[in-house]
Amino acid sequence: MEGLDAASIVPLYKQLKNLILKDIKEGRYKPNQKIPTEKDFSELYQISRMTVRKALEQLVEEEVLAKKQGKGTFVQEPKIVEDLDNANSFTNLCKRNGKVPGGRTLRFMLAEPSDRDVKELKLEPGEQVIHVQRLRTADNVPVMLENLYFPGHLKNILTENLNDTSLYQILQDKYGLRDEDFIMEIEMSECNNYEASLLEIKSGSPLILVRELIYDQYDHPLHRTKSLLRGDKIKYISSRLNKTKS
Amino acid sequence: MEGLDAASIVPLYKQLKNLILKDIKEGRYKPNQKIPTEKDFSELYQISRMTVRKALEQLVEEEVLAKKQGKGTFVQEPKIVEDLDNANSFTNLCKRNGKVPGGRTLRFMLAEPSDRDVKELKLEPGEQVIHVQRLRTADNVPVMLENLYFPGHLKNILTENLNDTSLYQILQDKYGLRDEDFIMEIEMSECNNYEASLLEIKSGSPLILVRELIYDQYDHPLHRTKSLLRGDKIKYISSRLNKTKS
C-alpha cells in the first residue's frame, strides 16, 4: 500500500487527497461507490481525523465526492452540464457531454388542454393541445422526463417523425422556432410514483423541474415544456464574460 | 356550504377548482395547510373522483397546490422568484418579491483557502481567503445560507460594515464589481446537519446549490460564492424575448 510521508513539504491532507484522486482515476473507487470512513482512513494511514476530514471536505467541495446524510461518502459521477445560454436539444446536450442519447416516446397525441395550456399557449375556445411525452436517456440511464405541449392547430406535428434529433430541427425548419425567445423557470420538485418508476429513482426523490414557454418568430407561443430532470445527474451553468454593461 | 351546479355550462372540475381557489384566497385554506383528499371532495360534493382528480391535478400544475408523496396535497406558498438575468443582491430579491430581508453574519474572517479557492480565485502561494458566511431570511424565514470567498489581498473588506445592502454596493463602489461578468452553476444538493439546523429543515433535505465566480472590471476573480437555497422557497426564472438572433 502506498503511504503518506510525514516528512514531505506537501501537507498530509493534500497527500491523502491525491491518493484518493488517484484511486478514483485508476478505478479502485468506482462512481457511486462508498469510500472508507474518516475513522478508517485515520487508522489506515495513522493520521488525525482532522486531517482526513480536511481532505474529504475539499474533495466534496470539488464535487469529486458527495456526502449522503447518514449513509457515508461516495464517489460522485460528474454531472451532465447543461449550458443555460446555449440549451437547445437533448441530443446536443448529450453530445457535448460525451454521452450517447437515447429514449422513447411515451405519448404523442391530441389531448384536452389544462387551464395552463389555454393561458400560456393562448388557445382558442375548444382548441386541443398536442402532448408529447418523452423519456430521455444518457448512456442508457434515464435522466429526463420531458413533456411538450403544442397548440392543437399545429396538428401537422402529429405527422412528424419524433426521432430525437429531428423535432428540434423540424421546429426550426417548419414552425418558425427562434432560439432566443423563451421564458424559463427552474425549481425543485418531488417526483410522484409514475415519474419515479420511469426515472428509476425513489418516489418523492428531488427533481429539477424546468418549465419553458417558447415563442416562434412572430412572437406566438409555439409550445410549452415541463421537464423533470434527475438532480443527481444534471446541473446547469450560465456565464457572461467580457460583455459591455448595458 | 357552497355547492357545485351540475346543470351549469361550466364543467364540474372547473367549478371545484374555483371553489378551492376561493377558499385559499379567503384564507379558509392557509399556506402549507393540507387540503381534503380526493375521496373527501368526492363525497362532499357528490362528484366522481375523476372530476376531483382533474381539478387537483390542474391546481398542482398551476403551482397553487403541491402533492407530497405519502402525505397528501397542500396549499403551496408562492415561491420567491429570482431572475437569473437580473440577479444581484438578496435585499433586492426580497424587495422585488414583497418580502422583508433579514439575516445574520455567521463568519467574517481570514481562513486557510481550499484548493478550489486557490484555483478559482488565482491566489498567490500563502495567500489566505476571506470567508463571509451569512444566513439570509425573508419575512423571518431562513431561505439561504450564503458563503463568499474573497482573495486575502482584498483584506480591506474585513473593515467594511457587512450590512445586507451595503456589501453589494461596496463591491461596486470600491472593488470594481461589474455585474455582467460571472460564471454560475445551479444544481441540486442535500443539506448536512449544520446547514439543516440553520435553514430549519431536515438534514438531508434537497437544496438548490448555486456557485458563482464573479470577476471585476479587469477580469480578475473578485470572489466566489457558494449559496445553499431552500428549494421549497425559491425558484429561478430566465427569459429572452424579442432579441435579435446573434
Side-chain angles (χ1 to χ4, degrees), chain A residues 17 61 63 69 79 115-116 180 182 184 186-187 236 238 240 242, chain B residues 17 61 63 79 115-116 180 182 184 186-187 203 219 236 238 240 242:
Chain A
K17 269 184 76 174
E61 186 62 16
E63 301 184 357
Q69 285 307 114
K79 290 182 179 175
D115 291 347
R116 185 171 195 130
E180 298 211 359
F182 64 90
M184 178 168 56
I186 302 178
E187 63 184 302
Y236 284 93
S238 177
R240 314 245 190 293
N242 293 320
Chain B
K17 269 185 77 176
E61 186 64 15
E63 301 185 359
K79 290 182 181 176
D115 290 347
R116 185 170 196 133
E180 297 212 358
F182 65 88
M184 179 169 54
I186 302 177
E187 63 183 303
S203 178
D219 296 331
Y236 285 92
S238 177
R240 314 239 191 297
N242 294 319

PDB file of all heavy atoms in Angstrom, chain A residues 17 61 63 69 79 115-116 180 182 184 186-187 236 238 240 242, chain B residues 17 61 63 79 115-116 180 182 184 186-187 203 219 236 238 240 242:
ATOM      1  N   LYS A  17      -5.598  13.538  -0.250  1.00  0.00           N
ATOM      2  CA  LYS A  17      -6.447  13.921  -1.388  1.00  0.00           C
ATOM      3  C   LYS A  17      -5.927  13.310  -2.681  1.00  0.00           C
ATOM      4  O   LYS A  17      -6.677  12.731  -3.471  1.00  0.00           O
ATOM      5  CB  LYS A  17      -6.444  15.450  -1.562  1.00  0.00           C
ATOM      6  CG  LYS A  17      -7.517  16.187  -0.820  1.00  0.00           C
ATOM      7  CD  LYS A  17      -7.473  17.681  -1.136  1.00  0.00           C
ATOM      8  CE  LYS A  17      -8.054  18.014  -2.501  1.00  0.00           C
ATOM      9  NZ  LYS A  17      -8.138  19.490  -2.723  1.00  0.00           N
ATOM     10  N   GLU A  61     -16.150  19.581  -1.749  1.00  0.00           N
ATOM     11  CA  GLU A  61     -16.250  20.941  -2.288  1.00  0.00           C
ATOM     12  C   GLU A  61     -15.908  20.952  -3.784  1.00  0.00           C
ATOM     13  O   GLU A  61     -16.463  21.720  -4.558  1.00  0.00           O
ATOM     14  CB  GLU A  61     -15.297  21.853  -1.512  1.00  0.00           C
ATOM     15  CG  GLU A  61     -15.364  23.327  -1.846  1.00  0.00           C
ATOM     16  CD  GLU A  61     -16.709  23.977  -1.571  1.00  0.00           C
ATOM     17  OE1 GLU A  61     -17.520  23.378  -0.849  1.00  0.00           O
ATOM     18  OE2 GLU A  61     -16.954  25.066  -2.123  1.00  0.00           O
ATOM     19  N   GLU A  63     -16.510  18.487  -5.677  1.00  0.00           N
ATOM     20  CA  GLU A  63     -17.517  17.609  -6.297  1.00  0.00           C
ATOM     21  C   GLU A  63     -16.944  16.317  -6.854  1.00  0.00           C
ATOM     22  O   GLU A  63     -17.480  15.732  -7.803  1.00  0.00           O
ATOM     23  CB  GLU A  63     -18.333  18.380  -7.346  1.00  0.00           C
ATOM     24  CG  GLU A  63     -19.021  19.572  -6.676  1.00  0.00           C
ATOM     25  CD  GLU A  63     -19.935  20.375  -7.580  1.00  0.00           C
ATOM     26  OE1 GLU A  63     -20.021  20.059  -8.774  1.00  0.00           O
ATOM     27  OE2 GLU A  63     -20.576  21.317  -7.068  1.00  0.00           O
ATOM     28  N   GLN A  69     -26.273  12.114   3.785  1.00  0.00           N
ATOM     29  CA  GLN A  69     -26.587  12.108   5.210  1.00  0.00           C
ATOM     30  C   GLN A  69     -26.926  10.706   5.706  1.00  0.00           C
ATOM     31  O   GLN A  69     -27.791  10.050   5.156  1.00  0.00           O
ATOM     32  CB  GLN A  69     -27.770  13.040   5.488  1.00  0.00           C
ATOM     33  CG  GLN A  69     -27.435  14.517   5.454  1.00  0.00           C
ATOM     34  CD  GLN A  69     -26.267  14.902   6.349  1.00  0.00           C
ATOM     35  OE1 GLN A  69     -25.220  15.321   5.869  1.00  0.00           O
ATOM     36  NE2 GLN A  69     -26.422  14.729   7.645  1.00  0.00           N
ATOM     37  N   LYS A  79     -21.588  15.303 -13.150  1.00  0.00           N
ATOM     38  CA  LYS A  79     -22.922  15.540 -13.691  1.00  0.00           C
ATOM     39  C   LYS A  79     -22.847  15.989 -15.146  1.00  0.00           C
ATOM     40  O   LYS A  79     -21.853  16.571 -15.579  1.00  0.00           O
ATOM     41  CB  LYS A  79     -23.632  16.616 -12.862  1.00  0.00           C
ATOM     42  CG  LYS A  79     -24.012  16.143 -11.462  1.00  0.00           C
ATOM     43  CD  LYS A  79     -24.762  17.225 -10.687  1.00  0.00           C
ATOM     44  CE  LYS A  79     -25.137  16.690  -9.300  1.00  0.00           C
ATOM     45  NZ  LYS A  79     -25.756  17.731  -8.453  1.00  0.00           N
ATOM     46  N   ASP A 115     -55.925  24.385 -17.955  1.00  0.00           N
ATOM     47  CA  ASP A 115     -56.083  25.844 -17.961  1.00  0.00           C
ATOM     48  C   ASP A 115     -54.743  26.526 -18.216  1.00  0.00           C
ATOM     49  O   ASP A 115     -54.677  27.603 -18.799  1.00  0.00           O
ATOM     50  CB  ASP A 115     -56.677  26.321 -16.633  1.00  0.00           C
ATOM     51  CG  ASP A 115     -58.135  25.886 -16.493  1.00  0.00           C
ATOM     52  OD1 ASP A 115     -58.715  25.449 -17.503  1.00  0.00           O
ATOM     53  OD2 ASP A 115     -58.684  25.969 -15.387  1.00  0.00           O
ATOM     54  N   ARG A 116     -53.665  25.863 -17.757  1.00  0.00           N
ATOM     55  CA  ARG A 116     -52.326  26.409 -18.002  1.00  0.00           C
ATOM     56  C   ARG A 116     -52.006  26.428 -19.499  1.00  0.00           C
ATOM     57  O   ARG A 116     -51.426  27.383 -19.998  1.00  0.00           O
ATOM     58  CB  ARG A 116     -51.291  25.585 -17.240  1.00  0.00           C
ATOM     59  CG  ARG A 116     -49.904  26.152 -17.328  1.00  0.00           C
ATOM     60  CD  ARG A 116     -48.933  25.443 -16.377  1.00  0.00           C
ATOM     61  NE  ARG A 116     -47.743  26.235 -16.243  1.00  0.00           N
ATOM     62  CZ  ARG A 116     -47.170  26.581 -15.100  1.00  0.00           C
ATOM     63  NH1 ARG A 116     -47.684  26.174 -13.967  1.00  0.00           N
ATOM     64  NH2 ARG A 116     -46.085  27.312 -15.084  1.00  0.00           N
ATOM     65  N   GLU A 180     -33.916  32.227 -29.408  1.00  0.00           N
ATOM     66  CA  GLU A 180     -33.661  33.111 -28.288  1.00  0.00           C
ATOM     67  C   GLU A 180     -34.891  33.580 -27.538  1.00  0.00           C
ATOM     68  O   GLU A 180     -34.756  34.238 -26.518  1.00  0.00           O
ATOM     69  CB  GLU A 180     -32.859  34.320 -28.773  1.00  0.00           C
ATOM     70  CG  GLU A 180     -31.526  33.874 -29.311  1.00  0.00           C
ATOM     71  CD  GLU A 180     -30.444  34.910 -29.122  1.00  0.00           C
ATOM     72  OE1 GLU A 180     -30.740  35.984 -28.596  1.00  0.00           O
ATOM     73  OE2 GLU A 180     -29.320  34.624 -29.498  1.00  0.00           O
ATOM     74  N   PHE A 182     -37.782  32.948 -25.185  1.00  0.00           N
ATOM     75  CA  PHE A 182     -38.387  31.980 -24.275  1.00  0.00           C
ATOM     76  C   PHE A 182     -38.526  32.597 -22.892  1.00  0.00           C
ATOM     77  O   PHE A 182     -37.903  33.604 -22.562  1.00  0.00           O
ATOM     78  CB  PHE A 182     -37.524  30.729 -24.180  1.00  0.00           C
ATOM     79  CG  PHE A 182     -36.175  30.986 -23.574  1.00  0.00           C
ATOM     80  CD1 PHE A 182     -35.984  30.891 -22.202  1.00  0.00           C
ATOM     81  CD2 PHE A 182     -35.105  31.349 -24.369  1.00  0.00           C
ATOM     82  CE1 PHE A 182     -34.744  31.151 -21.627  1.00  0.00           C
ATOM     83  CE2 PHE A 182     -33.858  31.619 -23.802  1.00  0.00           C
ATOM     84  CZ  PHE A 182     -33.685  31.514 -22.439  1.00  0.00           C
ATOM     85  N   MET A 184     -38.266  30.877 -19.047  1.00  0.00           N
ATOM     86  CA  MET A 184     -37.895  29.616 -18.409  1.00  0.00           C
ATOM     87  C   MET A 184     -37.973  29.738 -16.903  1.00  0.00           C
ATOM     88  O   MET A 184     -37.619  30.769 -16.343  1.00  0.00           O
ATOM     89  CB  MET A 184     -36.476  29.234 -18.820  1.00  0.00           C
ATOM     90  CG  MET A 184     -36.004  27.962 -18.169  1.00  0.00           C
ATOM     91  SD  MET A 184     -34.481  27.333 -18.913  1.00  0.00           S
ATOM     92  CE  MET A 184     -33.443  28.752 -18.722  1.00  0.00           C
ATOM     93  N   ILE A 186     -36.817  27.490 -13.375  1.00  0.00           N
ATOM     94  CA  ILE A 186     -36.098  26.339 -12.832  1.00  0.00           C
ATOM     95  C   ILE A 186     -36.401  26.268 -11.351  1.00  0.00           C
ATOM     96  O   ILE A 186     -36.196  27.238 -10.629  1.00  0.00           O
ATOM     97  CB  ILE A 186     -34.562  26.502 -12.989  1.00  0.00           C
ATOM     98  CG1 ILE A 186     -34.188  26.687 -14.458  1.00  0.00           C
ATOM     99  CG2 ILE A 186     -33.826  25.303 -12.394  1.00  0.00           C
ATOM    100  CD1 ILE A 186     -32.708  26.912 -14.680  1.00  0.00           C
ATOM    101  N   GLU A 187     -36.890  25.114 -10.911  1.00  0.00           N
ATOM    102  CA  GLU A 187     -37.136  24.978  -9.480  1.00  0.00           C
ATOM    103  C   GLU A 187     -36.990  23.526  -9.049  1.00  0.00           C
ATOM    104  O   GLU A 187     -36.723  22.649  -9.865  1.00  0.00           O
ATOM    105  CB  GLU A 187     -38.531  25.492  -9.126  1.00  0.00           C
ATOM    106  CG  GLU A 187     -39.665  24.720  -9.759  1.00  0.00           C
ATOM    107  CD  GLU A 187     -41.020  25.345  -9.436  1.00  0.00           C
ATOM    108  OE1 GLU A 187     -41.340  25.476  -8.245  1.00  0.00           O
ATOM    109  OE2 GLU A 187     -41.742  25.709 -10.371  1.00  0.00           O
ATOM    110  N   TYR A 236     -26.819  22.865 -14.191  1.00  0.00           N
ATOM    111  CA  TYR A 236     -26.872  23.962 -15.151  1.00  0.00           C
ATOM    112  C   TYR A 236     -25.709  24.912 -14.936  1.00  0.00           C
ATOM    113  O   TYR A 236     -25.287  25.136 -13.815  1.00  0.00           O
ATOM    114  CB  TYR A 236     -28.172  24.750 -14.981  1.00  0.00           C
ATOM    115  CG  TYR A 236     -29.360  24.027 -15.552  1.00  0.00           C
ATOM    116  CD1 TYR A 236     -30.145  23.218 -14.768  1.00  0.00           C
ATOM    117  CD2 TYR A 236     -29.676  24.163 -16.894  1.00  0.00           C
ATOM    118  CE1 TYR A 236     -31.228  22.535 -15.301  1.00  0.00           C
ATOM    119  CE2 TYR A 236     -30.751  23.498 -17.443  1.00  0.00           C
ATOM    120  CZ  TYR A 236     -31.527  22.683 -16.646  1.00  0.00           C
ATOM    121  OH  TYR A 236     -32.597  22.017 -17.179  1.00  0.00           O
ATOM    122  N   SER A 238     -24.270  28.892 -16.368  1.00  0.00           N
ATOM    123  CA  SER A 238     -24.541  30.084 -17.143  1.00  0.00           C
ATOM    124  C   SER A 238     -23.345  30.987 -16.940  1.00  0.00           C
ATOM    125  O   SER A 238     -22.753  31.025 -15.875  1.00  0.00           O
ATOM    126  CB  SER A 238     -25.815  30.753 -16.625  1.00  0.00           C
ATOM    127  OG  SER A 238     -26.044  31.956 -17.328  1.00  0.00           O
ATOM    128  N   ARG A 240     -21.473  34.929 -18.189  1.00  0.00           N
ATOM    129  CA  ARG A 240     -21.363  36.122 -19.011  1.00  0.00           C
ATOM    130  C   ARG A 240     -19.974  36.667 -18.734  1.00  0.00           C
ATOM    131  O   ARG A 240     -19.663  37.041 -17.609  1.00  0.00           O
ATOM    132  CB  ARG A 240     -22.371  37.203 -18.614  1.00  0.00           C
ATOM    133  CG  ARG A 240     -23.768  36.739 -18.407  1.00  0.00           C
ATOM    134  CD  ARG A 240     -24.766  37.280 -19.389  1.00  0.00           C
ATOM    135  NE  ARG A 240     -26.103  36.942 -18.934  1.00  0.00           N
ATOM    136  CZ  ARG A 240     -26.582  35.697 -18.888  1.00  0.00           C
ATOM    137  NH1 ARG A 240     -25.844  34.691 -19.272  1.00  0.00           N
ATOM    138  NH2 ARG A 240     -27.798  35.463 -18.442  1.00  0.00           N
ATOM    139  N   ASN A 242     -16.824  39.271 -20.228  1.00  0.00           N
ATOM    140  CA  ASN A 242     -16.318  40.283 -21.167  1.00  0.00           C
ATOM    141  C   ASN A 242     -17.390  40.892 -22.055  1.00  0.00           C
ATOM    142  O   ASN A 242     -17.161  41.156 -23.222  1.00  0.00           O
ATOM    143  CB  ASN A 242     -15.233  39.682 -22.060  1.00  0.00           C
ATOM    144  CG  ASN A 242     -14.004  39.349 -21.244  1.00  0.00           C
ATOM    145  OD1 ASN A 242     -13.622  40.114 -20.364  1.00  0.00           O
ATOM    146  ND2 ASN A 242     -13.399  38.217 -21.534  1.00  0.00           N
TER     147      ASN A 242
ATOM    148  N   LYS B  17     -62.334  23.677  -8.929  1.00  0.00           N
ATOM    149  CA  LYS B  17     -61.102  24.483  -8.923  1.00  0.00           C
ATOM    150  C   LYS B  17     -61.378  25.883  -8.381  1.00  0.00           C
ATOM    151  O   LYS B  17     -60.656  26.391  -7.520  1.00  0.00           O
ATOM    152  CB  LYS B  17     -60.559  24.641 -10.360  1.00  0.00           C
ATOM    153  CG  LYS B  17     -59.592  23.600 -10.808  1.00  0.00           C
ATOM    154  CD  LYS B  17     -59.018  23.924 -12.192  1.00  0.00           C
ATOM    155  CE  LYS B  17     -57.956  24.991 -12.172  1.00  0.00           C
ATOM    156  NZ  LYS B  17     -57.350  25.199 -13.521  1.00  0.00           N
ATOM    157  N   GLU B  61     -50.475  21.640 -11.288  1.00  0.00           N
ATOM    158  CA  GLU B  61     -49.774  22.123 -12.475  1.00  0.00           C
ATOM    159  C   GLU B  61     -49.625  23.644 -12.444  1.00  0.00           C
ATOM    160  O   GLU B  61     -48.635  24.184 -12.924  1.00  0.00           O
ATOM    161  CB  GLU B  61     -50.562  21.686 -13.731  1.00  0.00           C
ATOM    162  CG  GLU B  61     -49.916  21.984 -15.060  1.00  0.00           C
ATOM    163  CD  GLU B  61     -48.607  21.249 -15.282  1.00  0.00           C
ATOM    164  OE1 GLU B  61     -48.317  20.293 -14.543  1.00  0.00           O
ATOM    165  OE2 GLU B  61     -47.858  21.659 -16.192  1.00  0.00           O
ATOM    166  N   GLU B  63     -49.294  25.244  -9.744  1.00  0.00           N
ATOM    167  CA  GLU B  63     -48.487  25.510  -8.550  1.00  0.00           C
ATOM    168  C   GLU B  63     -49.246  26.236  -7.447  1.00  0.00           C
ATOM    169  O   GLU B  63     -48.671  26.938  -6.623  1.00  0.00           O
ATOM    170  CB  GLU B  63     -47.193  26.238  -8.924  1.00  0.00           C
ATOM    171  CG  GLU B  63     -46.403  25.391  -9.899  1.00  0.00           C
ATOM    172  CD  GLU B  63     -45.033  25.943 -10.274  1.00  0.00           C
ATOM    173  OE1 GLU B  63     -44.671  27.012  -9.795  1.00  0.00           O
ATOM    174  OE2 GLU B  63     -44.339  25.252 -11.037  1.00  0.00           O
ATOM    175  N   LYS B  79     -43.459  30.685  -4.405  1.00  0.00           N
ATOM    176  CA  LYS B  79     -42.023  30.761  -4.161  1.00  0.00           C
ATOM    177  C   LYS B  79     -41.487  32.157  -4.461  1.00  0.00           C
ATOM    178  O   LYS B  79     -42.054  32.889  -5.274  1.00  0.00           O
ATOM    179  CB  LYS B  79     -41.291  29.736  -5.034  1.00  0.00           C
ATOM    180  CG  LYS B  79     -41.532  28.295  -4.604  1.00  0.00           C
ATOM    181  CD  LYS B  79     -40.747  27.302  -5.452  1.00  0.00           C
ATOM    182  CE  LYS B  79     -41.034  25.867  -4.991  1.00  0.00           C
ATOM    183  NZ  LYS B  79     -40.376  24.855  -5.840  1.00  0.00           N
ATOM    184  N   ASP B 115      -8.321  24.151  -1.974  1.00  0.00           N
ATOM    185  CA  ASP B 115      -7.698  24.100  -3.308  1.00  0.00           C
ATOM    186  C   ASP B 115      -8.605  24.765  -4.344  1.00  0.00           C
ATOM    187  O   ASP B 115      -8.144  25.333  -5.328  1.00  0.00           O
ATOM    188  CB  ASP B 115      -7.419  22.641  -3.708  1.00  0.00           C
ATOM    189  CG  ASP B 115      -6.300  22.043  -2.857  1.00  0.00           C
ATOM    190  OD1 ASP B 115      -5.603  22.813  -2.153  1.00  0.00           O
ATOM    191  OD2 ASP B 115      -6.127  20.820  -2.885  1.00  0.00           O
ATOM    192  N   ARG B 116      -9.922  24.670  -4.099  1.00  0.00           N
ATOM    193  CA  ARG B 116     -10.861  25.325  -5.009  1.00  0.00           C
ATOM    194  C   ARG B 116     -10.693  26.848  -4.967  1.00  0.00           C
ATOM    195  O   ARG B 116     -10.748  27.508  -6.013  1.00  0.00           O
ATOM    196  CB  ARG B 116     -12.289  24.949  -4.624  1.00  0.00           C
ATOM    197  CG  ARG B 116     -13.328  25.477  -5.574  1.00  0.00           C
ATOM    198  CD  ARG B 116     -14.687  24.883  -5.301  1.00  0.00           C
ATOM    199  NE  ARG B 116     -15.546  25.123  -6.441  1.00  0.00           N
ATOM    200  CZ  ARG B 116     -16.315  24.235  -7.027  1.00  0.00           C
ATOM    201  NH1 ARG B 116     -16.370  23.012  -6.570  1.00  0.00           N
ATOM    202  NH2 ARG B 116     -17.051  24.537  -8.069  1.00  0.00           N
ATOM    203  N   GLU B 180     -21.970  42.061 -14.992  1.00  0.00           N
ATOM    204  CA  GLU B 180     -22.281  41.090 -16.030  1.00  0.00           C
ATOM    205  C   GLU B 180     -21.270  39.955 -16.178  1.00  0.00           C
ATOM    206  O   GLU B 180     -21.483  39.047 -16.948  1.00  0.00           O
ATOM    207  CB  GLU B 180     -22.434  41.810 -17.367  1.00  0.00           C
ATOM    208  CG  GLU B 180     -23.597  42.773 -17.320  1.00  0.00           C
ATOM    209  CD  GLU B 180     -24.278  42.932 -18.647  1.00  0.00           C
ATOM    210  OE1 GLU B 180     -23.817  42.306 -19.621  1.00  0.00           O
ATOM    211  OE2 GLU B 180     -25.260  43.652 -18.717  1.00  0.00           O
ATOM    212  N   PHE B 182     -19.594  36.813 -14.924  1.00  0.00           N
ATOM    213  CA  PHE B 182     -19.658  35.762 -13.917  1.00  0.00           C
ATOM    214  C   PHE B 182     -19.758  34.398 -14.592  1.00  0.00           C
ATOM    215  O   PHE B 182     -20.081  34.285 -15.784  1.00  0.00           O
ATOM    216  CB  PHE B 182     -20.856  35.965 -12.989  1.00  0.00           C
ATOM    217  CG  PHE B 182     -22.170  35.830 -13.717  1.00  0.00           C
ATOM    218  CD1 PHE B 182     -22.778  34.588 -13.854  1.00  0.00           C
ATOM    219  CD2 PHE B 182     -22.788  36.936 -14.274  1.00  0.00           C
ATOM    220  CE1 PHE B 182     -23.982  34.455 -14.534  1.00  0.00           C
ATOM    221  CE2 PHE B 182     -23.987  36.809 -14.963  1.00  0.00           C
ATOM    222  CZ  PHE B 182     -24.572  35.571 -15.093  1.00  0.00           C
ATOM    223  N   MET B 184     -21.695  30.845 -13.439  1.00  0.00           N
ATOM    224  CA  MET B 184     -22.618  30.365 -12.423  1.00  0.00           C
ATOM    225  C   MET B 184     -22.981  28.907 -12.666  1.00  0.00           C
ATOM    226  O   MET B 184     -23.137  28.489 -13.805  1.00  0.00           O
ATOM    227  CB  MET B 184     -23.892  31.203 -12.455  1.00  0.00           C
ATOM    228  CG  MET B 184     -24.917  30.748 -11.444  1.00  0.00           C
ATOM    229  SD  MET B 184     -26.268  31.922 -11.259  1.00  0.00           S
ATOM    230  CE  MET B 184     -26.793  32.079 -12.929  1.00  0.00           C
ATOM    231  N   ILE B 186     -25.813  25.950 -11.257  1.00  0.00           N
ATOM    232  CA  ILE B 186     -27.003  25.665 -10.443  1.00  0.00           C
ATOM    233  C   ILE B 186     -27.203  24.170 -10.424  1.00  0.00           C
ATOM    234  O   ILE B 186     -27.281  23.537 -11.475  1.00  0.00           O
ATOM    235  CB  ILE B 186     -28.273  26.308 -11.055  1.00  0.00           C
ATOM    236  CG1 ILE B 186     -28.107  27.823 -11.183  1.00  0.00           C
ATOM    237  CG2 ILE B 186     -29.498  25.982 -10.212  1.00  0.00           C
ATOM    238  CD1 ILE B 186     -29.296  28.507 -11.837  1.00  0.00           C
ATOM    239  N   GLU B 187     -27.262  23.601  -9.230  1.00  0.00           N
ATOM    240  CA  GLU B 187     -27.524  22.168  -9.174  1.00  0.00           C
ATOM    241  C   GLU B 187     -28.261  21.821  -7.894  1.00  0.00           C
ATOM    242  O   GLU B 187     -28.541  22.671  -7.066  1.00  0.00           O
ATOM    243  CB  GLU B 187     -26.226  21.381  -9.270  1.00  0.00           C
ATOM    244  CG  GLU B 187     -25.259  21.622  -8.137  1.00  0.00           C
ATOM    245  CD  GLU B 187     -23.953  20.855  -8.345  1.00  0.00           C
ATOM    246  OE1 GLU B 187     -23.978  19.641  -8.481  1.00  0.00           O
ATOM    247  OE2 GLU B 187     -22.896  21.514  -8.361  1.00  0.00           O
ATOM    248  N   SER B 203     -32.230  17.415   8.047  1.00  0.00           N
ATOM    249  CA  SER B 203     -30.943  17.023   7.489  1.00  0.00           C
ATOM    250  C   SER B 203     -31.180  16.083   6.305  1.00  0.00           C
ATOM    251  O   SER B 203     -32.012  15.184   6.383  1.00  0.00           O
ATOM    252  CB  SER B 203     -30.146  16.323   8.584  1.00  0.00           C
ATOM    253  OG  SER B 203     -28.923  15.893   8.069  1.00  0.00           O
ATOM    254  N   ASP B 219     -11.209  41.799 -15.208  1.00  0.00           N
ATOM    255  CA  ASP B 219     -11.296  40.354 -15.427  1.00  0.00           C
ATOM    256  C   ASP B 219     -10.504  39.543 -14.410  1.00  0.00           C
ATOM    257  O   ASP B 219     -10.093  38.419 -14.699  1.00  0.00           O
ATOM    258  CB  ASP B 219     -10.861  39.986 -16.851  1.00  0.00           C
ATOM    259  CG  ASP B 219     -11.793  40.579 -17.888  1.00  0.00           C
ATOM    260  OD1 ASP B 219     -12.984  40.768 -17.561  1.00  0.00           O
ATOM    261  OD2 ASP B 219     -11.342  40.859 -19.008  1.00  0.00           O
ATOM    262  N   TYR B 236     -36.024  29.953  -9.839  1.00  0.00           N
ATOM    263  CA  TYR B 236     -35.341  30.841 -10.764  1.00  0.00           C
ATOM    264  C   TYR B 236     -36.146  31.015 -12.037  1.00  0.00           C
ATOM    265  O   TYR B 236     -36.786  30.070 -12.496  1.00  0.00           O
ATOM    266  CB  TYR B 236     -33.969  30.268 -11.137  1.00  0.00           C
ATOM    267  CG  TYR B 236     -32.956  30.423 -10.034  1.00  0.00           C
ATOM    268  CD1 TYR B 236     -32.758  29.425  -9.098  1.00  0.00           C
ATOM    269  CD2 TYR B 236     -32.220  31.590  -9.919  1.00  0.00           C
ATOM    270  CE1 TYR B 236     -31.843  29.583  -8.064  1.00  0.00           C
ATOM    271  CE2 TYR B 236     -31.303  31.760  -8.906  1.00  0.00           C
ATOM    272  CZ  TYR B 236     -31.117  30.755  -7.984  1.00  0.00           C
ATOM    273  OH  TYR B 236     -30.220  30.929  -6.978  1.00  0.00           O
ATOM    274  N   SER B 238     -35.713  32.822 -16.085  1.00  0.00           N
ATOM    275  CA  SER B 238     -34.855  33.477 -17.058  1.00  0.00           C
ATOM    276  C   SER B 238     -35.693  33.673 -18.304  1.00  0.00           C
ATOM    277  O   SER B 238     -36.541  32.843 -18.624  1.00  0.00           O
ATOM    278  CB  SER B 238     -33.653  32.586 -17.363  1.00  0.00           C
ATOM    279  OG  SER B 238     -32.845  33.176 -18.355  1.00  0.00           O
ATOM    280  N   ARG B 240     -35.732  35.408 -22.450  1.00  0.00           N
ATOM    281  CA  ARG B 240     -35.205  36.234 -23.551  1.00  0.00           C
ATOM    282  C   ARG B 240     -36.358  36.406 -24.531  1.00  0.00           C
ATOM    283  O   ARG B 240     -36.865  35.428 -25.061  1.00  0.00           O
ATOM    284  CB  ARG B 240     -34.057  35.534 -24.272  1.00  0.00           C
ATOM    285  CG  ARG B 240     -33.029  34.929 -23.389  1.00  0.00           C
ATOM    286  CD  ARG B 240     -31.630  35.451 -23.594  1.00  0.00           C
ATOM    287  NE  ARG B 240     -30.703  34.616 -22.862  1.00  0.00           N
ATOM    288  CZ  ARG B 240     -30.669  34.459 -21.543  1.00  0.00           C
ATOM    289  NH1 ARG B 240     -31.529  35.090 -20.782  1.00  0.00           N
ATOM    290  NH2 ARG B 240     -29.799  33.664 -20.969  1.00  0.00           N
ATOM    291  N   ASN B 242     -37.876  38.859 -27.810  1.00  0.00           N
ATOM    292  CA  ASN B 242     -37.710  39.920 -28.814  1.00  0.00           C
ATOM    293  C   ASN B 242     -36.283  40.414 -28.981  1.00  0.00           C
ATOM    294  O   ASN B 242     -36.048  41.595 -29.170  1.00  0.00           O
ATOM    295  CB  ASN B 242     -38.617  41.115 -28.471  1.00  0.00           C
ATOM    296  CG  ASN B 242     -40.066  40.734 -28.604  1.00  0.00           C
ATOM    297  OD1 ASN B 242     -40.421  40.032 -29.541  1.00  0.00           O
ATOM    298  ND2 ASN B 242     -40.878  41.155 -27.669  1.00  0.00           N
TER     299      ASN B 242
END
